[in-house]
Amino acid sequence: MLDKRIFERFTLKCPCHWVVEDGYQVFDAQIEDISLGGFRISTFTSLSPGQGIKFSLETKPPVKGRARVVWVRKDGEKYYAGLEIVELQEKFRKRFQEIIEELTLNNLPESYLR
């Protein structure tokens, strides 16, 4: 299978909360990995491809935005979903980019830092 991702993914374990757009019930999730274009979550609540959600990453400070569910897989009682970010306000975009920059630097081979 061809990997169509544009951005490199980094492992990041971080709590996340989400709500279906036009919904009111907040669900918990765990960030599994992240890239500039989106992230993968695990949750005990089902999602559907194409569904729009609002999310809050529990980073310091938090990052909030809108995403679209690209794919969903079920494994036992958990659902894994790939989310594409569709909207981040400027203040959240800056923090999100800082997180990716930190992960990029932390994952560089030692030879790049000499």
Side-chain angles (χ1 to χ4, degrees):
M1 186 168 145
L2 181 63
D3 188 352
K4 298 178 184 176
R5 290 188 184 105
I6 296 171
F7 304 109
E8 184 174 355
R9 289 200 171 255
F10 299 100
T11 300
L12 176 69
K13 301 295 184 183
C14 170
C16 173
H17 306 288
W18 61 275
V19 61
V20 175
E21 287 188 341
D22 300 325
Y24 299 100
Q25 187 173 2
V26 178
F27 300 100
D28 295 327
Q30 171 81 25
I31 302 293
E32 299 291 333
D33 61 38
I34 194 167
S35 76
L36 271 176
F39 49 96
R40 179 172 55 111
I41 63 169
S42 60
T43 183
F44 289 103
T45 306
S46 66
L47 294 147
S48 301
Q51 190 172 35
I53 67 164
K54 295 177 185 175
F55 66 86
S56 175
L57 308 183
E58 295 307 309
T59 56
K60 294 194 190 302
V63 173
K64 299 177 183 185
R66 291 179 47 243
R68 180 181 64 87
V69 178
V70 177
W71 58 265
V72 178
R73 290 190 191 103
K74 187 171 189 216
D75 185 8
E77 294 183 17
K78 275 191 176 179
Y79 294 88
Y80 292 87
L83 305 176
E84 175 186 24
I85 296 172
V86 295
E87 181 183 353
L88 281 176
Q89 292 177 3
E90 188 58 37
K91 66 180 178 178
F92 297 126
R93 181 183 324 280
K94 183 177 180 196
R95 177 61 187 135
F96 192 80
Q97 288 171 333
E98 289 170 355
I99 292 168
I100 298 298
E101 287 171 10
E102 289 171 22
L103 290 167
T104 301
L105 288 173
N106 291 340
N107 285 285
L108 282 177
E110 188 73 24
S111 59
Y112 284 98
L113 301 174
R114 291 186 185 150

